[in-house]
């Protein structure tokens, strides 16, 4: 009877270990969409209203992310681009190019459950490039000097304090893949430096304006967890 009990315990042991044991290292990669509203009205009237309106449209970013989790500590990198925006205003083409990158550090509160909860702190870098180009190919030198093409780059670093929540689907049948996570995140944006850095093609520009974030950032994420 004791031999039968020991054999039954041996059969249960792998199941208990797989449910309670922590994975020391997990590597993930995926896609994300981020929405970070900002306000450039601090640069009006130095910039025309149509330029400020264009800058305020650069709220969305789509990109890739990679994450590393070790003993429930979570670190990740994000790189994203906004959709190129352009419109014609009189004889000008106004364009906007946007880019963001982020470093996120957090802690996984529910490592073995299907619901992932990760409070995190992030550092974010935003870059906005605003251009004004003439729609007329042949212009005089006087017209060019009076209405010179504009090429401005706005740089800002912010902090983000928030949480990331996701639902995990474990995959035991696909080689190298441990599971998939669908989720979202949100947090409070705050400036790291007070003044927006502004550059032209070759010069750093002093100014009295500033870009202001509207407080909150939200995003959607999809990641694939890899077996290591």
């Amino acid at each position: 009877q004791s031999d039968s009990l020991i054999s039954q315990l041996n059969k249960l042991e792998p199941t208990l270990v797989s449910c309670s044991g922590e994975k020391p290292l997990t590597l993930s990669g995926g896609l994300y969409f981020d929405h970070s509203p900002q306000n450039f009205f601090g640069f009006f009237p130095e910039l025309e209203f149509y330029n400020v309106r264009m800058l305020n449209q650069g709220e969305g970013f789509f990109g890739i992310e990679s994450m590393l989790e070790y003993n429930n500590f979570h670190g990740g990198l994000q790189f994203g681009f906004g959709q190129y925006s352009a419109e014609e205003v009189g004889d000008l083409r106004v364009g906007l190019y946007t880019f963001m990158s982020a470093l996120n550090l957090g802690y996984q509160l529910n490592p073995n459950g299907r619901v992932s909860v990760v409070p995190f702190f992030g550092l974010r870098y935003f870059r906005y490039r605003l251009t004004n180009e003439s729609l007329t190919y042949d212009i005089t030198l006087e017209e060019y000097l009076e209405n010179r093409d504009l090429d401005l780059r706005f740089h800002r670093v912010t902090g983000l304090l928030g949480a990331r929540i996701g639902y995990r689907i474990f995959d035991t049948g696909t080689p190298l893949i441990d599971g998939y996570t669908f989720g979202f995140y949100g947090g409070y944006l705050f400036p790291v430096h007070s003044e927006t850095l502004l550059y032209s093609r070759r010069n750093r520009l002093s100014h009295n304006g500033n870009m202001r974030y509207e407080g909150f950032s939200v995003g959607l994420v999809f990641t694939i967890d890899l077996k290591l």
Side-chain angles (χ1 to χ4, degrees), residues 161-221:
L161 188 63
R164 179 176 180 138
I165 300 175
Y167 181 78
R168 291 184 287 203
I169 301 175
F170 298 104
D171 187 341
T172 58
T174 305
L176 302 181
I177 296 180
D178 190 47
Y180 310 88
T181 302
F182 301 86
F184 65 94
Y185 61 84
Y188 179 74
L189 278 172
F190 56 92
V192 172
H193 52 95
S194 59
E195 181 178 324
T196 301
L197 302 180
L198 179 59
Y199 294 85
S200 64
R201 286 189 181 96
R202 295 184 178 180
N203 306 100
R204 178 175 176 177
L205 307 178
S206 59
H207 58 87
N208 296 321
N210 216 343
M211 60 184 290
R212 180 171 58 87
Y213 287 91
E214 297 299 327
F216 291 93
S217 175
V218 295
L220 300 174
V221 292

Side-chain angles (χ1 to χ4, degrees), residues 10-182:
N10 289 334
K11 291 180 181 179
L12 290 174
E13 184 178 359
T15 303
L16 295 174
V17 171
S18 63
C19 291
S20 61
E22 291 185 355
K23 296 178 181 179
L25 184 64
T26 301
L27 178 65
S28 303
L31 304 173
Y32 77 95
F33 174 78
D34 181 272
H35 181 74
S36 297
Q38 70 286 312
N39 189 326
F40 283 86
F41 280 109
F43 289 94
F44 180 82
E46 286 81 4
L47 290 177
E48 297 289 345
F49 178 76
Y50 54 80
N51 283 318
V52 174
R53 181 183 61 199
M54 175 62 71
L55 286 166
N56 285 341
Q57 294 177 8
E59 301 179 343
F61 300 88
F62 180 80
I64 60 174
E65 69 173 13
S66 61
M67 294 173 294
L68 192 66
E69 189 175 308
Y70 180 73
N71 285 343
N72 300 331
F73 288 96
H74 180 102
L77 293 174
Q78 293 178 318
F79 301 94
F81 295 88
Q83 180 180 1
Y84 169 69
S85 301
E87 64 178 22
E88 296 180 4
V89 179
D91 60 349
L92 290 177
R93 177 183 291 109
V94 182
L96 179 66
Y97 308 81
T98 58
F99 169 79
M100 71 160 286
S101 60
L103 170 65
N104 301 314
L105 300 174
Y107 188 79
Q108 174 65 258
L109 298 180
N110 190 22
N112 299 311
R114 289 194 176 274
V115 178
S116 170
V117 181
V118 182
F120 71 91
F121 167 77
L123 282 176
R124 297 180 147 205
Y125 164 70
F126 293 91
R127 180 180 183 270
Y128 303 81
R129 181 186 176 193
L130 175 70
T131 61
N132 288 178
E133 300 173 341
S134 175
L135 293 173
T136 305
Y137 180 74
D138 292 317
I139 59 175
T140 65
L141 176 61
E142 290 77 10
E143 289 174 330
Y144 174 76
L145 293 177
E146 183 179 354
N147 302 297
R148 187 170 298 178
D149 291 346
L150 191 67
D151 193 341
L152 298 177
R153 296 94 187 272
F154 301 79
H155 304 264
R156 192 71 184 268
V157 177
T158 69
L160 178 66
L161 188 63
R164 179 176 180 138
I165 300 175
Y167 181 78
R168 291 184 287 203
I169 301 175
F170 298 104
D171 187 341
T172 58
T174 305
L176 302 181
I177 296 180
D178 190 47
Y180 310 88
T181 302
F182 301 86

